[in-house]
Amino acid sequence: MSDRRVPLTTDGGAGTVHTPAMSDAALEDRALLDRAQDGDMEAFEALVERHEDRLYGLALRMTRSEADAAEVVQDTFLAAYQNLKNFRGEAAFGSWVHRIAANNALMRLRHQRVVDAVTEELRAPEFTERGSLAEVPEVDWSRSADEKVLDEELGRAIRQGTDALPEGYREVFLLKDVEGLSYEEISEMMGISVPAVKSRLHRARLALREEIDAFYKEV
Amino acid sequence: MFTCKDSIHSLLEYVDGELSEAQAAELREHLRACPPCVDFLQSYKATPKLARRALVDEMPRELAGKLKAFLRTKLPSK
Ligand SMILES: [Zn+2]
């Protein structure tokens, strides 16, 4: 083995979820994938079982509809199966199916999208005339992100807050901050510029931060 | 003058390490004198982490069963 350095996972809060080096899970996926590519359907079903929950979670948060989410997951695995032979495996199976699912969900949303003019609905911090923060945060809840168990009520508030993000903002937030896609990938998938992706992401984070802050103020 | 508004406006690029040296210095100088902005930055960074944890959904077992049955009709049995 060479002593080439393994890239460290950068998770400075807004970082990505995917580790650059192949995890054990990804290696197991690779083994299953090899078998599935040789026609072993049990191996393919095992891959489905390993990824269906996370795919469903993504699809549900993107489409906000259980029926649509179920269809997205179904179509995604079918597409994955049909393209199994073409999958070269530079990427992990997980990221591959997540990208298929994200594209699929985006296509569904495109039909029902009413873009822009919605930014007024986004919550944002308030400032005084002189540009100072109008409200000094009362509770420092930033550490709760590292606690072992996520508060049930907080989880619900975050899901509602995410669902309430306007179309276009919600997808960017999910794809970047939950799925760990790059700005360039999202820009390409959604057909908007990288600066637009960043600006929507920032607005979405600010809005969600306000939701969480409001949750802690009520507790 | 560099205000809280400016500071919060630049947080995404700050977190990404994309601010120019001059911009980052300006922000750091503001943060040193402004505890509310420091707290804000912490919570801004914590937001995606909390969201990742909150947004894990399990596929309802009934749906998972349907998915399996559907795929079996599409895949050749071997
Ligand atoms: Zn400030």
Side-chain angles (χ1 to χ4, degrees), chain A residues 45 53 61 147-148 183, chain B residues 16 53 57 59 72 76:
Chain A
E45 285 189 356
D53 281 340
R61 298 270 80 88
E147 278 166 17
K148 275 210 183 89
Y183 293 127
Chain B
D16 284 349
R53 298 183 57 183
D57 280 280
M59 189 161 182
R72 282 195 173 154

Side-chain angles (χ1 to χ4, degrees), chain B:
Chain B
M1 218 193 64
F2 193 91
T3 62
C4 295
K5 202 172 180 176
D6 299 320
S7 140
I8 284 158
H9 187 69
S10 62
L11 287 188
L12 179 130
E13 290 189 303
Y14 179 67
V15 170
D16 284 349
E18 298 267 311
L19 287 182
S20 72
E21 203 30 67
Q23 290 169 316
E26 215 171 13
L27 175 60
R28 276 194 296 267
E29 195 188 311
H30 179 87
L31 291 177
R32 264 196 293 278
C34 184
C37 271
V38 173
D39 287 348
F40 197 98
L41 170 63
Q42 294 308 328
S43 58
Y44 181 85
K45 288 204 286 188
T47 297
K49 281 196 200 176
L50 282 168
R52 278 201 289 279
R53 298 183 57 183
L55 298 180
V56 181
D57 280 280
E58 275 200 4
M59 189 161 182
R61 289 306 96 196
E62 189 206 339
L63 277 180
K66 277 190 189 159
L67 172 66
K68 200 168 184 179
F70 168 81
L71 288 173
R72 282 195 173 154
T73 66
K74 299 284 176 186
L75 313 185
S77 49
K78 278 223 172 165

Side-chain angles (χ1 to χ4, degrees), chain A residues 68-84:
Chain A
D68 282 349
E71 276 184 35
V72 166
V73 174
Q74 182 172 301
D75 292 352
T76 298
F77 282 121
L78 191 58
Y81 175 74
Q82 285 160 347
N83 291 290
L84 212 49

Side-chain angles (χ1 to χ4, degrees), chain A residues 29-30 145 175:
Chain A
D29 276 355
R30 173 57 54 79
L175 293 175

